[in-house]
């Protein structure tokens, strides 16, 4: 009975929505917060307290019902409601093309162009020389052909869309021959056999997982063969007793039987990374030179631009693709297009591209630079002077990611955080809850901060996040 009366008393002293609203308005510095957001937040907070009174009032004190306590909670909720969900995040994973973290970081020049084009009207579909309606892809036609050596080009939403569109246009209801060694699945459920079904093509698998011969293609060709497809095994590698048919050989087979050859390059790059001591990735121009009729690749993998699917190749086929009604459903928007053109523009000068495209810069970053950043962070953390959290400088490897260069190990320098009183999982969670979130990786029971993917100006922010953790434990 005593319990019931205490409950009643607490419920009675719960302030009303109007009362809190007036209090909040009195103290509000700016009046920019929409009234509905304030009211909803007050309602939510009061309702929460009401429920806890009903459920477990023993844990509540009258202080929990104070105006100041409630107002504090309401303000926190308002801030949370108004904060945007998609936000800047610090990538301390060392994975350069991290799909969960948005893949490519765009260059300054690209950001400027996005603002310039999108802050007003643009000639997106207007041909400025004729005054007539133009094609939206035309702005990247010339540069794509120049950089790749292809006859024609067009762009869509992403590479998955590019593959789907090409298959549907070139080989709907026909047989498409693919080696079993190239039956790729990439993250996010893109699988070659499934895309084949969705595009209305009939998949003809040939060869074995590790070895496919020219004769396997030759033997599989029928009157209903519409395409020979080569898929770059971007996120895995078949090593040991293996054999695959080169694009050159595929081109000869295609020529002999009058069947087009397409290559899904996945990542796609204009730069020969072997020149810089990294793994050799087939370049886009090599694929065109080898005789591929159609080549598709992503805009936001090794290219370092915005999400896009780029299609280049023979004009006759590209013209057909442009007429496919699916194109309208997969089309690229003007923000992306302005970003893509500005990115491609940087490739006119390879040195400039490497200097200004963050993806390339991080990939080719000299070890000494990463080491310098690691030491900077280590110094800031050691100044924190906590006995509860320790930091160690570690030599580790980082990865290219984004389904590219799967075997590549990039020498990197990291900080490993550890605490006797806080689990590594909790450290990871606290860092993730930071504003901005700091995303690292857990290895050997340490929270690893890989400096390859961290910008210099982000280092003090990470140190501050670490300091806040030490204050909480
Ligand atoms: C990444 C990848 C794709 C999909 O590209 P998105 O731009 O992510 O749609 C398709 N094929 C291969 C081989 C890939 O590596």
């Amino acid at each position: 009975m005593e319990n019931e009366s205490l409950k009643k008393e607490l419920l009675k002293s719960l302030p009303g929505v109007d009362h809190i609203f007036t209090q909040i308005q009195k103290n509000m510095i700016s009046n920019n917060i929409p009234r509905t957001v304030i009211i909803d937040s007050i309602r939510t907070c009061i309702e929460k307290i009401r429920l806890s009174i009903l459920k477990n009032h023993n844990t509540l004190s009258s202080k929990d019902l104070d105006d100041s306590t409630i107002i504090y909670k309401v303000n926190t909720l308002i801030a949370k409601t108004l904060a945007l969900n998609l936000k800047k995040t610090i990538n301390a994973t060392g994975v350069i093309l991290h799909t969960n973290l948005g893949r490519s970081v765009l260059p300054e020049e690209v950001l400027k162009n996005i603002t310039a084009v999108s802050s007003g009207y643009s000639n997106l579909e207007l041909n400025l020389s004729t005054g007539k309606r133009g094609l939206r892809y035309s702005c990247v036609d010339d540069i794509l052909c120049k950089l790749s050596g292809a006859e024609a080009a067009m762009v869509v939403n992403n590479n998955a869309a590019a593959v789907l569109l090409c298959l549907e246009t070139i080989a709907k209801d026909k047989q498409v021959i693919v080696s079993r060694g190239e039956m790729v699945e990439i993250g996010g459920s893109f699988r070659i056999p499934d895309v084949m079904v969705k595009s209305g093509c009939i998949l003809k698998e040939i060869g074995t997982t590790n070895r496919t011969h020219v004769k396997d293609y030759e033997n599989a060709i029928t009157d209903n063969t519409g395409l020979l497809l080569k898929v770059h095994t971007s996120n895995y590698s078949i090593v040991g007793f293996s054999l695959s048919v080169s694009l050159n050989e595929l081109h000869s087979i295609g020529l002999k039987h009058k069947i087009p050859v397409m290559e899904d390059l996945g990542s796609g790059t204009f730069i020969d990374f072997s020149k810089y001591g990294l793994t050799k990735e087939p370049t886009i121009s090599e694929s065109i030179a080898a005789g591929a009729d159609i080549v598709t690749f992503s805009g936001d993998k090794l290219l370092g631009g915005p999400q896009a699917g780029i299609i280049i190749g023979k004009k006759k086929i590209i013209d057909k693709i442009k007429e496919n009604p699916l194109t309208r459903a997969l089309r690229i928007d003007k923000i992306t297009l302005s970003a893509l053109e500005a990115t491609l523009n940087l490739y006119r000068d390879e040195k400039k591209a490497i200097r200004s495209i963050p993806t390339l810069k991080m990939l080719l970053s000299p070890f000494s630079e990463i080491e310098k950043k690691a030491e900077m962070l280590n110094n800031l953390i050691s100044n924190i002077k906590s006995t509860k959290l320790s930091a160690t400088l570690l030599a580790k490897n980082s990865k290219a990611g984004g389904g590219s260069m799967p075997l590549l190990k990039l020498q990197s320098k990291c900080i490993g955080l550890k605490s006797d009183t806080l689990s590594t999982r909790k450290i990871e969670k606290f860092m993730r809850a930071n504003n901005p979130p700091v995303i690292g990786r857990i290895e050997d029971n340490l929270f690893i901060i890989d400096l390859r993917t961290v910008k210099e100006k982000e280092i003090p922010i990470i140190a501050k996040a670490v300091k806040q953790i030490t204050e909480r434990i």
Side-chain angles (χ1 to χ4, degrees):
M1 207 47 216
E2 202 188 304
N3 261 349
E4 283 306 307
S5 61
L6 187 63
K7 229 186 236 183
K8 266 191 194 144
E9 203 164 299
L10 283 169
L11 285 173
K12 232 168 83 188
S13 55
L14 201 57
V17 173
D18 286 348
H19 172 70
I20 298 290
F21 184 68
T22 318
Q23 299 296 311
I24 286 183
Q25 269 200 325
K26 250 194 246 163
N27 297 315
M28 198 110 76
I29 311 154
S30 85
N31 278 327
N32 285 339
I33 302 169
R35 190 190 151 92
T36 51
V37 173
I38 306 174
I39 299 280
D40 284 350
S41 304
I42 298 172
R43 282 216 178 98
T44 308
C45 288
I46 293 181
E47 180 59 15
K48 229 176 174 172
I49 303 171
R50 203 180 67 82
L51 284 177
S52 17
I53 296 172
L54 292 174
K55 263 199 201 147
N56 45 358
H57 63 277
N58 296 332
T59 59
L60 290 173
S61 69
S62 59
K63 202 172 157 275
D64 290 309
L65 278 75
D66 274 357
D67 283 3
S68 60
T69 312
I70 297 175
I71 289 170
Y72 176 80
K73 282 187 177 158
V74 171
N75 280 332
T76 311
L77 187 58
I78 290 174
K80 211 175 143 191
T81 310
L82 294 179
L84 297 179
N85 292 317
L86 185 57
K87 55 189 166 191
K88 202 176 173 99
T89 300
I90 295 178
N91 177 7
T93 63
V95 180
I96 299 165
L97 294 167
H98 202 302
T99 300
N100 297 5
L101 301 180
R103 287 195 188 154
S104 282
V105 175
L106 297 179
E108 281 298 323
E109 289 89 338
V110 170
L111 298 176
K112 275 192 204 137
N113 197 43
I114 292 175
T115 312
V117 173
S118 316
S119 55
Y121 293 104
S122 63
N123 60 328
L124 182 66
E125 290 192 1
L126 175 72
N127 183 328
L128 287 177
S129 28
T130 63
K132 297 215 169 78
R133 184 167 184 172
L135 276 179
R136 61 173 58 211
Y137 338 100
S138 59
C139 66
V140 287
D141 264 6
D142 288 349
I143 178 95
L144 278 171
C145 292
K146 169 137 191 52
L147 293 172
S148 65
E151 284 176 12
M154 76 169 292
V155 283
V156 287
N157 182 56
N158 59 7
N159 187 34
V163 174
L164 178 80
L165 180 62
C166 291
L167 288 175
E168 216 268 351
T169 312
I170 304 167
K172 188 172 189 306
D173 298 325
K174 289 191 181 152
Q175 206 176 51
V176 177
I177 304 180
V178 191
S179 157
R180 288 199 171 85
E182 297 171 6
M183 223 46 87
V184 171
E185 170 178 324
I186 60 156
S189 75
F190 177 92
R191 299 169 126 193
I192 288 296
D194 298 345
V195 178
M196 208 62 82
V197 172
K198 287 288 172 199
S199 58
C201 299
I202 307 150
L203 172 66
K204 174 73 187 162
E205 295 177 48
I206 54 154
T208 60
T209 306
N210 57 332
R211 287 173 77 84
T212 300
H213 303 258
V214 167
K215 65 172 191 291
D216 292 325
Y217 284 93
E218 294 273 9
N219 293 342
I221 290 173
T222 69
D223 289 346
N224 196 35
T225 304
L227 183 71
L228 306 180
L229 175 66
K230 189 163 182 64
V231 185
H232 180 48
T233 57
S234 39
N235 55 2
Y236 66 97
S237 188
I238 299 174
V239 293
F241 187 57
S242 66
L243 181 81
S244 62
V245 174
S246 73
L247 202 56
N248 267 316
E249 291 169 304
L250 220 53
H251 171 64
S252 308
I253 304 169
L255 216 55
K256 193 165 121 195
H257 297 271
K258 296 198 171 53
I259 299 167
V261 173
M262 166 172 154
E263 179 168 44
D264 170 13
L265 259 183
S267 199
T269 171
F270 291 116
I271 291 174
D272 179 357
F273 286 107
S274 63
K275 275 199 313 207
Y276 302 96
L278 302 187
T279 321
K280 168 84 191 169
E281 276 282 306
T283 69
I284 298 155
S285 24
E286 280 164 4
S287 296
I288 292 295
D293 297 290
I294 287 290
V295 178
T296 73
F297 52 97
S298 286
D300 59 350
K301 290 187 178 171
L302 286 174
L303 204 69
Q307 178 191 304
I310 301 164
I311 307 169
I312 53 170
K314 295 274 155 64
K315 186 169 184 309
K316 229 172 89 184
I317 302 178
I318 302 259
D319 282 346
K320 253 175 84 184
I321 295 172
K322 284 179 179 168
E323 281 164 19
N324 188 332
L326 257 185
T327 302
R328 179 62 173 80
L330 306 173
R331 82 176 184 187
I332 189 165
D333 84 309
K334 64 176 179 188
I335 300 177
T336 315
L337 209 45
S338 63
L340 183 63
E341 187 184 6
T343 306
L344 293 170
N345 208 32
L346 293 168
Y347 278 96
R348 289 185 196 273
D349 176 352
E350 185 169 312
K351 285 204 185 79
K352 190 166 178 196
I354 289 172
R355 260 201 323 271
S356 41
I357 298 176
T359 300
L360 302 179
K361 222 159 65 175
M362 285 186 265
L363 205 53
L364 301 171
S365 181
F367 178 67
S368 59
E369 250 172 49
I370 304 171
E371 200 171 33
K372 209 177 89 195
K373 286 191 284 182
E375 275 157 14
M376 263 168 79
L377 180 60
N378 195 41
N379 287 339
L380 289 179
I381 294 178
S382 41
N383 281 342
I384 294 171
K385 296 209 181 10
S386 164
T387 48
K388 292 186 181 131
L389 199 81
S390 69
T392 335
L393 269 172
L394 299 163
K396 294 252 174 206
N397 292 322
S398 22
K399 289 186 203 151
S404 54
M405 306 181 177
L407 300 181
L408 180 69
K409 284 183 180 159
L410 295 157
Q411 189 194 11
S412 190
K413 201 86 180 184
C414 304
I415 302 281
L417 291 182
K418 201 182 153 171
S419 165
D420 292 334
T421 49
L422 195 68
S423 73
T424 306
R425 287 208 167 277
K426 274 272 167 62
I427 299 178
E428 186 272 336
K429 205 174 148 192
F430 279 144
M431 294 297 273
R432 183 156 40 88
N434 189 64
N435 189 17
V438 179
I439 310 297
R441 60 179 202 257
I442 294 179
E443 230 174 77
D444 307 328
N445 205 24
L446 292 171
F447 179 73
I448 304 286
I449 300 167
D450 189 325
L451 275 298
R452 178 179 292 273
T453 46
V454 173
K455 290 181 192 155
E456 204 170 308
K457 64 175 183 221
E458 291 170 339
I459 294 174
I461 304 172
I462 299 178
K464 199 171 149 205
V466 174
K467 186 159 188 274
Q468 276 167 356
I469 294 180
T470 61
E471 284 159 2
R472 291 169 80 160
I473 53 178

